Amino acid sequence: MVKVVSNLIEERRILELSEYFQKLNSVDIARDMIYLRDEEAVLAFRILPKDMAVEVFSYLDKEMKQNIIQLITDNEIKDITDKLFLDDTVDFIEELPSHIVKKVLKNTTKEKRELINQFLKYDENSAGSIMTIEFLDLKESMTVKEAINYIRYECSKKEDVDTCFIIDKNRKLKGTLPLKQLILKNEDDVLENIMDKNIISTKTIEDREMVASDFKKYDITCMPVVDFENRLVGIITVDDIIDIIDQENTEDIQRMAAMHPNEKQYLKTPVTELAKHRVIWLLVLMISATITGSIIKQFDDVLQSVVILAAFIPMLMDTGGNAGSQSSTLIIRGLALGDIKIKDYLKVMWKEFRVSLIVAIILSTVNFFRIYLLEKTDLMITLTVCGSLFFTVIIAKVVGSLLPIIAKKLKFDPAIMASPLITTIVDAFALMIYFSFAKLFLGI
Amino acid sequence: MVKVVSNLIEERRILELSEYFQKLNSVDIARDMIYLRDEEAVLAFRILPKDMAVEVFSYLDKEMKQNIIQLITDNEIKDITDKLFLDDTVDFIEELPSHIVKKVLKNTTKEKRELINQFLKYDENSAGSIMTIEFLDLKESMTVKEAINYIRYECSKKEDVDTCFIIDKNRKLKGTLPLKQLILKNEDDVLENIMDKNIISTKTIEDREMVASDFKKYDITCMPVVDFENRLVGIITVDDIIDIIDQENTEDIQRMAAMHPNEKQYLKTPVTELAKHRVIWLLVLMISATITGSIIKQFDDVLQSVVILAAFIPMLMDTGGNAGSQSSTLIIRGLALGDIKIKDYLKVMWKEFRVSLIVAIILSTVNFFRIYLLEKTDLMITLTVCGSLFFTVIIAKVVGSLLPIIAKKLKFDPAIMASPLITTIVDAFALMIYFSFAKLFLGI
């Protein structure tokens, strides 16, 4: 499509371009506009019908938004900010450099500017920061007929009118009513009597992760947000919740790989920022590995007399690390999804102990055949390796399953107790067991 | 027999007919019923004892099943679907035209319907397996007034009536209309003229992960599902999409920790199943570690002369593994979210190379101070360790970022290229570099 649009623009075939756009959807237009040159993009943008232009704008990436804002007139900016939903406006203002923010705010109404400022104050992880104010609020004293008329004439551009939120004269949230129900009811019914008073709502300061988990629990598509006095101030819609679920998952996954979490897209993150997010944890883990080093130094007489023992260290450490991180990963995920609670720690330990027994027996047996029968290694060395493997796997799994629960109990993010940290801890256990067995079996 | 039954039916000698049937077996009854006229067949069907009726039904041919379903009451259908074996239900539903499928599914319990959806020809990862049939379909020729009346009187229990789906007389999907728009329009408008013809839909066989990504892309709360002839057969709602996003994330995380993915909740999964999902990968990785073992054996003269070198192996291996898995994790996640494409591989490599340079310089420098100045290690040994660390980190990051992209290109799940596998691969590089440097610097 990029080529088509480029050509149409170059040849100034505006009418055809306009017709062409009308067959597409805003998301797709936005996605393709990113590939146009700036002037082309502005021209294309101006050809779009106004409502569509605003929608397309909201789907553009940060750079393209900035470029367009810089190239269009104040009046055009005003059109955009007037029509853009408040939550989209706030998101977009947050990303802009200050001189462009100024240009945008200059062209917004006073009321909207105040709202934007208020929104910018909410903590970025709070319900307040993701809510929108384009909701449909009806008075509890309205009849169905009045309500439908109100919707028809007053609320044509509210973001979410699939659910009506019903308030009293002090703006306190009293009930909800799906739009569908409103249509099905008798014209003269008063909302107060037909609304659902069993409201699932949240506060502006609530953690957005908690909000997301309520969305999952109740299978809802939007949730009202109230202030401390239970006054309705906004709603959160499910499309924003999906973004949050993805973000939280990305953060967890990044933490589990020993990185400082970062929301930005990989290809758009500068090299120095990527390096910064990674090096701290690598340093911490590298220095913790001093412990394993000193264990080896302590047993250097053992290694000196049977140098072949060194050959099995990587296998032992890797298998222990992998066994441990399997367990910690499952528990971290279970805690994140709410399937596992802190109080389940005994159940978890007992389960992991039994799993580790099975796994340890299989791994040690296979290893025995491989080392003793295939590689013709000395029997005592074989027993040292297999015995160590057996106990390392068991310790790895039990420790690996417990650490995330302990982290949660201590109010840390369990995700930090993943593969890298478990590996370092398990390494130390593995080496101590290994050298102790070596001394025992080989009589060093 | 056909004649006997026909006569008995015509003369309404119900009791005798019932006795007659009891002497026969279901297969025979079914075989003969095919020759009855439809009304006769239904009457005969109703005379059968319930359990037998279900059995007979399962042996009927496609046309007769359809005819009976169309002529019997909802309650009778419910009796059949309740008692019919699931695979029979699925087989029979597979053959039915869409409007009869709807009638059948309407009369099954939610649990059974989910099973049916899953077992139907639809692959369990397909859009078909997650769709629901409680949607609101309106004819394109209806006026707004007719549509609202239809909703009011016919569709009080549809799952999702926030969006109306508009079909033609062949049930082909023609457009959509948010319920809100319906209310706002003029009563006499014909749906055809006011509906949104720009439909975002999916096919029953589409991968559910693709469907989820379309939900994210277009910020929608429900999506129509059509068959190959563009006939509307179901809808997918956003609450199911959220579950899928969580499931897919869990699967990815489990694969990244070298486990066979498993949807079941941890505490509800039997120990043997947990062990089974883990042991295969542990075995594969354990046996791959043979390579590192043989590298050490190959260089045992180096270790024999400077046994202290063994003390730095865990640190070197762990840091390399961590550095590599940071990169692979970011790339795996980027590929999963669609932020990174296969064609970006050069950009990714170049970025990782620069990040790894920064990280490698910092880690080697810190390590130099720690080993040489604090632990007073021999300078040549220090240089061996720090030099190896430097190159290990660079190789780890570049390899770690490339492998997931290669996996994707080869149509594997990139998630398998995570920490455990990267660790095993990087271990081998690390040891080879380490011992080569040792030979070089220490002149062994």
Side-chain angles (χ1 to χ4, degrees):
Chain A
M1 144 193 175
V2 182
K3 224 182 142 44
V4 180
V5 175
S6 259
N7 285 341
L8 289 176
I9 288 178
E10 214 153 284
E11 297 163 26
R12 291 289 182 274
R13 286 151 66 188
I14 306 301
L15 204 71
E16 276 166 74
L17 187 60
S18 166
E19 274 165 15
Y20 179 77
F21 277 148
Q22 265 159 42
K23 278 179 277 172
L24 294 173
N25 141 326
S26 342
V27 180
D28 295 324
I29 297 178
R31 198 190 51 206
D32 290 336
M33 266 178 72
I34 292 166
Y35 299 103
L36 294 178
R37 279 179 292 117
D38 287 347
E39 308 83 86
E40 288 177 350
V42 171
L43 212 154
F45 185 72
R46 284 181 168 147
I47 287 168
L48 291 168
K50 268 188 193 171
D51 286 340
M52 203 172 196
V54 174
E55 258 190 88
V56 169
F57 183 82
S58 73
Y59 287 113
L60 290 175
D61 70 357
K62 187 178 136 190
E63 284 77 20
M64 184 61 93
K65 277 181 188 161
Q66 285 186 26
N67 295 340
I68 287 188
I69 289 289
Q70 282 177 308
L71 290 169
I72 62 179
T73 67
D74 283 1
N75 265 338
E76 282 170 319
I77 293 179
K78 201 163 155 15
D79 272 344
I80 293 176
T81 57
D82 275 359
K83 293 213 175 83
L84 207 58
F85 289 124
L86 186 67
D87 57 340
D88 291 332
T89 318
V90 172
D91 284 347
F92 133 72
I93 283 177
E94 269 174 338
E95 297 173 330
L96 293 180
S98 58
H99 66 284
I100 306 184
V101 171
K102 231 171 140 179
K103 189 173 175 187
V104 172
L105 286 183
K106 201 180 69 184
N107 291 297
T108 28
T109 59
K110 185 168 174 291
E111 295 75 48
K112 189 139 189 175
R113 212 157 51 233
E114 276 169 11
L115 279 170
I116 290 171
N117 282 327
Q118 192 182 324
F119 265 68
L120 289 172
K121 276 185 223 144
Y122 290 118
D123 181 273
E124 66 162 333
N125 287 318
S126 71
S129 75
I130 50 165
M131 71 185 187
T132 171
I133 50 146
E134 282 86 5
F135 52 84
L136 175 59
D137 48 346
L138 302 173
K139 295 275 185 310
E140 55 183 349
S141 53
M142 281 180 175
T143 65
V144 169
K145 194 176 179 179
E146 285 165 350
I148 290 180
N149 277 334
Y150 178 77
I151 297 169
R152 206 186 286 251
Y153 299 113
E154 305 285 328
C155 312
S156 56
K157 62 161 249 187
K158 301 290 179 177
E159 179 161 1
D160 190 306
V161 288
D162 296 336
T163 305
C164 312
F165 298 96
I166 296 151
I167 53 178
D168 67 9
K169 58 184 188 310
N170 298 318
R171 296 200 57 78
K172 293 199 182 180
L173 183 61
K174 289 296 178 180
T176 62
L177 193 64
L179 192 57
K180 161 197 158 193
Q181 291 298 330
L182 188 70
I183 298 177
L184 296 179
K185 294 291 177 187
N186 199 305
E187 284 197 336
D188 302 322
D189 286 345
V190 175
L191 298 190
E192 199 175 7
N193 303 324
I194 54 172
M195 68 190 181
D196 183 0
K197 288 169 187 160
N198 208 333
I199 311 164
I200 298 153
S201 69
T202 187
K203 296 246 185 304
T204 46
I205 54 147
E206 182 59 272
D207 188 90
R208 57 185 204 168
E209 228 177 312
M210 289 302 300
V211 177
S213 104
D214 274 352
F215 266 81
K216 289 182 204 171
K217 193 164 147 195
Y218 298 108
D219 279 352
I220 48 182
T221 55
C222 76
M223 190 190 278
V225 184
V226 295
D227 65 12
F228 284 104
E229 281 151 60
N230 200 30
R231 284 179 304 217
L232 182 62
V233 289
I235 58 165
I236 295 174
T237 52
V238 70
D239 51 319
D240 293 324
I241 291 298
I242 289 184
D243 294 343
I244 284 159
I245 292 173
D246 266 340
Q247 273 174 30
E248 299 288 347
N249 278 315
T250 302
E251 278 181 21
D252 266 10
I253 290 174
Q254 290 178 348
R255 262 198 213 100
M256 287 167 80
M259 281 174 283
H260 185 79
N262 171 26
E263 274 183 20
K264 273 192 219 162
Q265 284 192 14
Y266 174 81
L267 291 172
K268 290 181 182 159
T269 317
V271 169
T272 46
E273 204 177 322
L274 284 173
K276 200 181 76 189
H277 288 149
R278 301 187 197 177
V279 79
I280 306 287
W281 266 106
L282 286 179
L283 277 172
V284 170
L285 292 167
M286 185 179 81
I287 290 167
S288 326
T290 318
I291 299 163
T292 45
S294 65
I295 293 174
I296 293 183
K297 275 187 203 156
Q298 205 187 311
F299 287 97
D300 67 344
D301 52 330
V302 180
L303 266 187
Q304 189 81 57
S305 34
V306 195
V307 93
I308 185 85
L309 282 176
F312 300 104
I313 291 179
M315 184 276 291
L316 203 58
M317 281 173 35
D318 283 352
T319 308
N322 291 335
S325 64
Q326 285 181 333
S327 305
S328 64
T329 301
L330 276 186
I331 307 307
I332 290 167
R333 187 68 184 157
L335 288 168
L337 293 179
D339 300 338
I340 299 173
K341 312 264 178 242
I342 295 176
K343 65 174 166 50
D344 296 324
Y345 72 100
L346 277 179
K347 269 188 234 168
V348 169
M349 265 177 81
W350 173 231
K351 196 152 210 166
E352 283 303 304
F353 176 70
R354 286 176 296 160
V355 173
S356 69
L357 261 188
I358 300 177
V359 171
I361 289 170
I362 296 174
L363 292 180
S364 310
T365 310
V366 171
N367 221 26
F368 181 86
F369 279 100
R370 186 174 67 87
I371 303 180
Y372 184 64
L373 299 178
L374 288 181
E375 299 186 4
K376 314 278 181 213
T377 311
D378 174 75
L379 180 62
M380 280 305 152
I381 293 180
T382 305
L383 287 181
T384 304
V385 174
C386 295
S388 312
L389 184 66
F390 183 84
F391 287 105
T392 300
V393 168
I394 292 178
I395 290 178
K397 285 212 167 286
V398 175
V399 171
S401 65
L402 259 190
L403 285 184
I405 300 181
I406 293 173
K408 174 120 186 177
K409 178 82 190 164
L410 300 176
K411 315 265 183 216
F412 289 109
D413 188 329
I416 56 170
M417 295 298 184
S419 176
L421 201 61
I422 295 287
T423 302
T424 308
I425 294 168
V426 168
D427 282 357
F429 279 112
L431 289 172
M432 280 204 292
I433 297 172
Y434 188 45
F435 288 119
S436 310
F437 269 121
K439 280 197 153 178
L440 195 72
F441 286 142
L442 306 173
I444 306 162
Chain B
M1 163 226 159
V2 182
K3 218 171 151 46
V4 180
V5 175
S6 258
N7 285 340
L8 289 176
I9 287 177
E10 214 154 285
E11 297 167 28
R12 292 287 183 274
R13 286 151 66 185
I14 307 301
L15 205 70
E16 277 174 70
L17 187 60
S18 170
E19 274 166 14
Y20 177 77
F21 275 149
Q22 268 161 41
K23 281 179 277 175
L24 294 172
N25 95 14
S26 340
V27 183
D28 296 328
I29 299 177
R31 197 190 52 205
D32 289 337
M33 266 177 72
I34 294 166
Y35 300 101
L36 295 177
R37 279 178 292 118
D38 285 346
E39 301 83 340
E40 289 178 351
V42 170
L43 212 155
F45 186 73
R46 283 178 168 151
I47 286 167
L48 291 167
K50 268 188 192 171
D51 286 349
M52 202 174 196
V54 173
E55 258 191 271
V56 168
F57 183 82
S58 73
Y59 290 114
L60 291 174
D61 70 0
K62 187 178 139 188
E63 281 75 25
M64 183 62 90
K65 277 181 187 162
Q66 283 186 27
N67 295 339
I68 288 188
I69 289 290
Q70 281 178 307
L71 290 168
I72 62 179
T73 66
D74 284 2
N75 267 338
E76 287 173 306
I77 293 178
K78 201 162 159 10
D79 275 336
I80 294 176
T81 57
D82 275 357
K83 294 212 174 84
L84 208 56
F85 286 123
L86 186 69
D87 53 346
D88 291 334
T89 318
V90 170
D91 288 348
F92 129 65
I93 284 177
E94 267 185 325
E95 301 172 326
L96 295 179
S98 62
H99 66 284
I100 303 183
V101 170
K102 216 173 149 181
K103 189 173 177 191
V104 173
L105 288 183
K106 201 181 68 184
N107 290 296
T108 27
T109 58
K110 183 167 179 289
E111 290 74 17
K112 186 137 189 178
R113 207 158 56 235
E114 275 169 5
L115 281 170
I116 291 172
N117 273 330
Q118 197 176 324
F119 276 74
L120 268 167
K121 61 189 162 191
Y122 310 124
D123 180 272
E124 69 163 328
N125 287 319
S126 71
S129 74
I130 49 165
M131 71 185 186
T132 168
I133 46 134
E134 280 89 4
F135 52 84
L136 175 58
D137 47 347
L138 303 173
K139 296 277 186 309
E140 55 182 349
S141 54
M142 281 180 175
T143 65
V144 169
K145 192 175 180 180
E146 285 167 350
I148 290 180
N149 277 334
Y150 179 77
I151 297 169
R152 205 186 286 251
Y153 299 113
E154 305 284 327
C155 310
S156 55
K157 60 172 245 201
K158 302 290 181 179
E159 176 160 3
D160 189 308
V161 288
D162 297 337
T163 306
C164 312
F165 299 96
I166 295 152
I167 54 177
D168 68 8
K169 57 183 188 310
N170 297 318
R171 299 199 56 78
K172 294 199 181 181
L173 183 61
K174 289 296 178 179
T176 61
L177 193 65
L179 193 58
K180 161 197 159 194
Q181 292 298 331
L182 189 70
I183 298 178
L184 297 178
K185 294 292 177 183
N186 198 304
E187 284 200 335
D188 302 322
D189 286 345
V190 176
L191 299 191
E192 197 175 8
N193 304 324
I194 55 173
M195 66 190 182
D196 181 1
K197 289 172 186 159
N198 208 330
I199 310 164
I200 298 155
S201 68
T202 186
K203 295 249 186 301
T204 46
I205 53 148
E206 184 60 272
D207 188 90
R208 56 183 207 171
E209 232 177 309
M210 288 302 301
V211 177
S213 105
D214 274 351
F215 266 81
K216 291 181 203 170
K217 188 168 152 196
Y218 297 108
D219 280 351
I220 48 181
T221 56
C222 77
M223 190 190 278
V225 184
V226 295
D227 64 12
F228 283 105
E229 281 151 60
N230 200 31
R231 284 177 306 215
L232 182 62
V233 290
I235 58 165
I236 296 174
T237 52
V238 71
D239 51 319
D240 293 325
I241 291 298
I242 289 183
D243 294 342
I244 284 159
I245 292 172
D246 267 340
Q247 271 175 30
E248 300 287 348
N249 278 317
T250 302
E251 277 180 23
D252 267 11
I253 290 173
Q254 289 179 348
R255 263 198 212 100
M256 287 167 79
M259 279 175 284
H260 184 80
N262 173 24
E263 276 182 20
K264 273 190 221 164
Q265 284 190 14
Y266 174 81
L267 291 172
K268 289 182 185 159
T269 316
V271 168
T272 47
E273 204 176 322
L274 285 173
K276 201 180 75 188
H277 288 148
R278 301 187 198 178
V279 79
I280 306 286
W281 266 106
L282 287 179
L283 276 173
V284 170
L285 292 167
M286 185 180 81
I287 289 167
S288 326
T290 318
I291 300 162
T292 46
S294 65
I295 293 172
I296 294 184
K297 275 187 202 155
Q298 204 187 313
F299 288 96
D300 66 344
D301 52 329
V302 180
L303 267 187
Q304 190 79 57
S305 31
V306 194
V307 94
I308 186 84
L309 283 176
F312 299 104
I313 290 179
M315 183 277 289
L316 203 58
M317 279 173 36
D318 282 353
T319 308
N322 292 334
S325 63
Q326 285 181 335
S327 306
S328 65
T329 301
L330 276 185
I331 306 307
I332 290 167
R333 188 66 183 157
L335 288 168
L337 294 180
D339 300 339
I340 300 173
K341 312 265 179 241
I342 294 175
K343 65 176 166 43
D344 296 323
Y345 72 99
L346 278 178
K347 269 188 234 167
V348 169
M349 265 177 82
W350 173 231
K351 196 152 211 167
E352 282 304 304
F353 176 69
R354 286 175 295 159
V355 173
S356 69
L357 261 189
I358 300 176
V359 171
I361 289 170
I362 296 174
L363 292 180
S364 309
T365 312
V366 171
N367 219 28
F368 182 86
F369 280 100
R370 186 174 68 89
I371 303 180
Y372 185 63
L373 299 179
L374 287 181
E375 300 186 4
K376 315 279 182 209
T377 310
D378 174 77
L379 179 62
M380 281 303 153
I381 293 180
T382 305
L383 288 179
T384 303
V385 174
C386 294
S388 312
L389 185 65
F390 183 83
F391 288 106
T392 300
V393 168
I394 292 178
I395 290 178
K397 285 212 167 288
V398 175
V399 171
S401 65
L402 259 191
L403 285 184
I405 299 181
I406 293 173
K408 175 120 185 177
K409 177 80 189 166
L410 300 176
K411 315 263 184 221
F412 289 107
D413 188 329
I416 57 170
M417 295 298 184
S419 176
L421 201 60
I422 295 289
T423 303
T424 308
I425 294 168
V426 168
D427 282 356
F429 279 112
L431 288 173
M432 281 205 291
I433 296 170
Y434 188 45
F435 287 119
S436 309
F437 269 120
K439 281 196 154 181
L440 194 73
F441 287 141
L442 306 174
I444 304 162

